[in-house]
């Protein structure tokens, strides 16, 4: 180990920054964040840097560096483009035993700046010892995605109770188990979901009773349209901690694979006109599992609140007082549109977009067709494959031009994506000539013609 990571307390301590440019400013910002008082020395100093120093109790000295500038400082940053000067500062600092950092010159440094993930009071620092700073930054970016932004709040909450828990549980092992439970369970989830008071209340209860929390929780999570890359960070985190997963037919196997390995998986899929498990039964299932104390993941294709019956499921949970959270997902319309190169709105072609269910009831579709006839709007039909001939015919009958461009997207965002484009007059016939696999989405409107220019994603098949 070439460097020992230590965290430096700089609150109200004087730090010398030699240099007044962009690089000095960047370092000064970090130092100011850590509460340091800044002494900036340079013949010229950028305005932002001056302002920054002005905000704290620091000083700007508009002149060249002098050795006397080192007096009283606990850390020195040399950020000038004058190499001999940087070297001189380094030697002088080290002879006085003051930590020194010379920007972009690891050999002259006694301390180096890491790449930082700041979830104060939780801080992660990464360094490559100056050998590959870009690599350190990339690793930092990865860590950023693993640690929810609200982790800091969780740490702050723990701080409030730390002394009390220490008094209550003198044994280190017991305390470890206690805190692991807090940081991985329902209390942490409450904080991540922005329910700070709820988290604090649960922690209070846990401290008071030490009893495990009886109720489980349900996560109603949107899994997006198919490509696993389109999951949200929160979706992935909950997928990896749930005890049981209830999933639909629409959720791609590659996404189910990302759930915790040892989680119980329950298929409750629905096919058109053939509900594998009736909705009431799914609702009841969720309630029962949560009452057993399980963390239940209800994974849905796309977004749970768009034609997903998510509302009904959480109504049932709410009625039973079961905690839940809803994680939005990328809905099929957004996913398919993006991957097919069809912007849903466009200054020149569409000022609004409507998501419509094209599901047929008794062979017909009871929809406000006259409203759909207005130009400059995009219509997106979910569940519209069987009803496609009827949809096209009704739109034309109510005044939408027969030459309006229209597209059908099969299994959007996946490797099997295929896009059929035509017009209201011929799309249905065109689709009929091919073997089409569900799920499919229909987009109607002038925006469809932009696909020729904007398509970038190629599924398994050539575009039609
Ligand atoms: N909650 C989902 C929609 C559920 S309704 C969402 O927000 O996307 C089911 C319908 O969604 C399907 O019939 C189909 O019209 C559409 N759909 C879902 N995933 C799709 C995909 N990858 N490609 C095309 N259509 C899709």
């Amino acid at each position: 180990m070439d460097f020992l990571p230590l965290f430096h307390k700089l609150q109200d301590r004087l730090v010398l920054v030699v240099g007044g440019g962009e690089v000095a400013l960047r370092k000064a910002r970090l130092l100011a964040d850590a509460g340091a008082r800044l002494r900036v020395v340079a013949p010229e100093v950028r305005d932002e840097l001056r302002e920054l120093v002005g905000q704290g109790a620091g000083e700007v000295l508009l002149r060249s560096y002098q050795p006397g500038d080192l007096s009283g400082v606990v850390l020195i940053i040399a950020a000038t483009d004058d190499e001999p000067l940087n070297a001189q500062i380094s030697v002088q600092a080290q002879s006085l035993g003051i930590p020194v950092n010379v920007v972009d010159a690891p050999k002259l440094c006694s301390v180096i700046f890491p790449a930082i993930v700041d979830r104060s009071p939780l801080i992660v620092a990464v360094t490559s010892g100056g050998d590959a700073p870009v690599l350190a930054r990339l690793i930092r970016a990865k860590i950023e995605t693993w640690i929810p932004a609200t982790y800091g709040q969780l740490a702050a909450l723990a701080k409030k109770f730390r002394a009390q828990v220490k008094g209550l549980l003198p044994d280190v092992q017991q305390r470890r188990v206690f805190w692991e439970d807090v940081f991985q369970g329902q209390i942490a989830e409450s904080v991540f979901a922005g329910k700070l008071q709820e988290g604090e209340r649960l922690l209070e209860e846990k401290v008071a009773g030490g009893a495990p929390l009886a109720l489980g929780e349900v996560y109603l999570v949107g899994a997006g349209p198919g490509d696993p890359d389109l999951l949200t960070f929160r979706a992935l985190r909950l997928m990896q901690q749930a005890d049981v997963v209830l999933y639909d037919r629409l959720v791609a196997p590659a996404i189910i694979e990302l759930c915790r390995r040892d989680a119980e998986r329950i298929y409750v899929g629905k096919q058109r006109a053939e509900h594998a498990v009736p909705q009431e039964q799914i609702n009841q299932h969720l309630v029962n599992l949560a009452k057993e104390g399980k963390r239940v993941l209800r994974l849905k294709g796309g977004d749970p609140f768009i034609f997903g019956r998510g509302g009904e499921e959480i109504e049932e949970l709410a009625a039973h007082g079961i905690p839940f959270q809803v994680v939005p997902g990328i809905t099929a319309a957004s996913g398919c549109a993006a991957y097919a190169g069809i912007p849903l709105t466009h200054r020149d072609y569409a000022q609004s977009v409507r998501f419509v269910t094209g599901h047929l009831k008794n062979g017909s579709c009871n929809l406000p067709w006259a409203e759909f006839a207005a130009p400059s709007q995009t219509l997106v039909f979910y569940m519209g494959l069987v009803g496609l001939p009827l949809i096209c015919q009704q739109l034309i009958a109510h005044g939408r031009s027969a030459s309006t461009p229209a597209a059908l997207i099969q299994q959007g965002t996946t490797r099997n994506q295929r896009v059929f484009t035509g017009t209201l007059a011929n799309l249905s016939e065109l689709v009929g000539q091919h073997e089409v696999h569900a799920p499919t989405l229909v987009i109607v409107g002038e925006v469809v013609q932009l696909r020729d220019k904007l398509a970038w994603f190629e599924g398994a098949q050539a575009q039609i």
Side-chain angles (χ1 to χ4, degrees), residues 157-233:
L157 181 64
K159 182 180 171 190
K160 270 196 187 175
F161 289 84
R162 190 162 175 234
Q164 206 181 339
V165 172
K166 200 167 180 181
L168 212 65
L169 304 172
D171 179 52
V172 179
Q173 180 68 15
Q174 271 181 313
R175 283 207 300 279
R176 190 179 59 76
V177 172
F178 178 94
W179 284 119
E180 276 181 5
D181 194 32
V182 170
F183 294 142
Q184 293 175 20
Q186 201 179 342
I187 294 172
E189 272 318 312
S190 300
V191 174
F192 297 157
K195 297 186 270 185
L196 273 179
Q197 283 178 341
E198 163 99 349
E200 183 156 353
R201 187 182 61 71
L202 291 171
L203 186 48
E204 258 165 23
E205 272 176 25
K206 190 173 166 68
V207 170
L213 301 156
L215 267 190
E217 192 176 8
V218 175
Y219 314 131
L220 180 59
V221 174
D227 183 348
D229 259 16
L230 295 178
L231 285 169
T232 60
F233 294 146

Side-chain angles (χ1 to χ4, degrees), residues 15-17 19-20 28 38-42 45 49 53 59-62:
V15 175
L16 173 66
V17 177
L38 299 174
R39 173 183 289 161
V40 175
V41 179
V45 173
L49 184 48
V53 176
E59 56 183 347
V60 173
L61 305 173
L62 289 175

Side-chain angles (χ1 to χ4, degrees), residues 28-50:
R29 282 207 180 107
L30 280 173
L31 296 165
D33 280 348
R37 273 194 300 131
L38 299 174
R39 173 183 289 161
V40 175
V41 179
E44 276 178 57
V45 173
R46 305 171 60 116
D47 291 346
E48 294 110 301
L49 184 48
R50 256 187 245 230

Side-chain angles (χ1 to χ4, degrees), residues 224-226 249-250 300-308 329-333 336 381-384 409-414 439-442:
R249 188 179 56 92
L250 268 185
K300 293 197 165 260
D303 181 278
F305 277 0
I306 294 182
F307 305 126
I330 292 186
T331 190
C336 293
F381 290 91
Y382 287 69
M383 299 167 276
I409 299 136
Q410 158 192 305
Q411 300 179 344
T413 78
T414 74
T440 64
L441 194 82
V442 178

